[in-house]
């Protein structure tokens, strides 16, 4: 009887901790967004190179947490953190409000925790495929859409009793905030399953809030074109000066 009560208490404590963690992450994200809005600045005061542009690269560190939703295993919480590297592959394309840039990204996920009833599974993975569409805006905020996929390896089966090797697919909608260091916040849907490696495959569906902090390592084509125009003006001036001197030296 005593052991049963102790086990029930431990299960309650294990389920209570991830909820506190998720609530803390949500409150931190909410405060960060509020601070960003409160410290807004005019577009004229915004640096020209603080947003991702064609030919640029992004390096980000991020953390995310959430809870299971209907369609798979229930009563499960997740938390994960990682590093992202992205390539801005295009200038703005498409008409109207669809106008935006395309980014290809890769995520390394060294920390992944799944809090489930049976146990807490720890692990890591990699997301080699990340497609992001960053809408082109004139202000310091830009929305984006994302699709991604990868693998996940854990110390215990996820869901419990199924598999330690899983695949992940996800979709996200978020907002960029361009400041001294670019950061973003998004809401994402993440599906975890073993893709049929086992006969029973209930899967796990979660909705998460993710916070990214990063920096843009940019060398945009606009800068290259501007540099080329400047060099062209210098070259034309040099050529004009040479022709002028040649005409003076002729008898």
């Amino acid at each position: 009887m005593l052991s049963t009560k102790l086990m029930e208490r431990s299960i309650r404590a294990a389920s209570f901790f991830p909820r506190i963690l998720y609530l803390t992450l949500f409150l931190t994200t909410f405060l960060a967004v509020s601070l960003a809005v409160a410290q807004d600045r005019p577009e004229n005061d915004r640096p020209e190179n603080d947003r991702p542009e064609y030919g640029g690269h992004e390096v980000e560190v991020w953390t995310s947490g959430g809870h299971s939703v209907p369609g798979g295993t229930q009563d499960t919480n997740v938390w994960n953190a990682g590093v992202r590297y992205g390539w801005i592959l295009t200038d703005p394309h498409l008409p109207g409000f669809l106008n935006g840039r395309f980014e290809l990204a890769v995520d390394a996920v060294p920390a992944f925790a799944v809090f489930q009833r049976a146990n807490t599974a720890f692990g890591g993975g990699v997301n080699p495929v990340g497609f992001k569409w960053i809408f082109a805006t004139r202000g310091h905020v830009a929305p984006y859409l994302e699709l991604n996929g990868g693998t996940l390896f854990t110390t215990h089966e996820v869901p419990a009793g199924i598999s330690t090797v899983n695949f992940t697919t996800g979709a996200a909608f978020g907002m960029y905030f361009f400041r001294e260091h670019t950061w973003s916040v998004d809401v994402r849907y993440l599906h975890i399953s073993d893709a049929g490696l086992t006969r029973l495959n209930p899967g796990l569906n979660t909705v998460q809030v993710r916070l990214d902090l990063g920096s843009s390592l940019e060398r945009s084509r606009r800068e290259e074109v501007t540099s080329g125009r400047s060099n062209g003006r210098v070259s034309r001036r040099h050529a004009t000066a040479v022709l002028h001197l040649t005409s003076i030296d002729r008898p």
Side-chain angles (χ1 to χ4, degrees):
M1 181 68 67
L2 180 60
S3 61
T4 303
K5 290 183 178 180
L6 291 175
M7 185 178 296
E8 291 178 354
R9 290 180 181 178
S10 62
I11 292 175
R12 290 175 184 175
S15 62
F16 180 72
F17 173 73
R19 293 178 184 176
I20 293 296
L21 181 64
Y22 180 50
L23 179 61
T24 302
L25 178 63
F26 175 78
L27 291 176
T28 302
T29 303
F30 177 78
L31 291 175
V33 173
S34 301
L35 182 62
V37 174
Q39 293 180 347
D40 190 14
R41 57 183 173 179
E43 182 182 353
N44 293 336
D45 296 335
R46 177 176 51 82
E48 290 294 333
N49 61 348
D50 62 352
R51 60 173 58 239
E53 294 186 355
Y54 169 78
H57 307 272
E58 284 194 296
V59 178
E60 298 176 340
V61 293
W62 55 264
T63 182
S64 179
H67 188 71
S68 58
V69 294
T73 305
Q74 297 296 301
D75 299 323
T76 303
N77 298 278
V78 298
W79 171 83
N80 50 101
V83 180
R84 162 168 290 194
Y85 193 88
W87 297 264
I88 310 301
L89 300 182
T90 70
D91 276 327
H93 286 288
L94 299 184
F97 70 93
L98 296 176
N99 187 253
R101 299 175 176 86
F102 177 71
E103 176 183 353
L104 177 65
V106 176
D107 286 303
V109 191
F112 204 114
V114 182
F115 304 94
Q116 45 195 3
R117 285 184 175 181
N119 51 50
T120 298
F122 297 98
V126 60
N127 301 331
V129 180
F131 302 125
K132 180 183 285 189
W133 187 257
I134 308 170
F135 292 92
T137 59
R138 296 181 58 85
H140 74 286
V141 177
Y144 63 85
L145 294 173
E146 178 183 327
L147 297 174
N148 59 70
T151 57
L152 174 63
F153 306 92
T154 53
T155 56
H156 295 287
E157 291 84 1
V158 176
I162 302 301
S163 179
T164 58
V165 179
N166 283 282
F167 301 92
T168 63
T169 55
F173 172 76
M175 303 291 288
Y176 267 113
F177 297 87
F178 303 112
R179 301 194 175 277
E180 296 299 328
H181 294 284
T182 301
W183 65 279
S184 63
V185 60
D186 64 46
V187 175
R188 59 184 53 227
Y189 170 84
L190 181 68
H191 173 73
I192 302 173
S193 72
D194 65 2
L197 294 179
T198 59
R199 185 178 60 84
L200 184 62
N201 180 31
L204 172 63
N205 301 316
T206 66
V207 171
Q208 304 182 36
V209 176
R210 173 162 151 171
L211 182 64
D212 299 58
L213 176 63
S215 178
S216 296
L217 310 176
E218 300 187 32
R219 188 184 174 202
S220 66
R221 186 162 64 181
R222 182 189 305 173
E223 295 173 351
E224 294 176 359
V225 170
T226 302
S227 177
R229 289 175 178 174
S230 299
N231 293 336
R233 286 194 294 269
V234 172
S235 300
R236 286 194 294 271
R237 290 175 183 174
H238 178 70
T240 303
V242 171
L243 290 174
H244 179 67
L245 291 174
T246 302
S247 63
I248 293 177
D249 291 341
R250 288 179 181 177

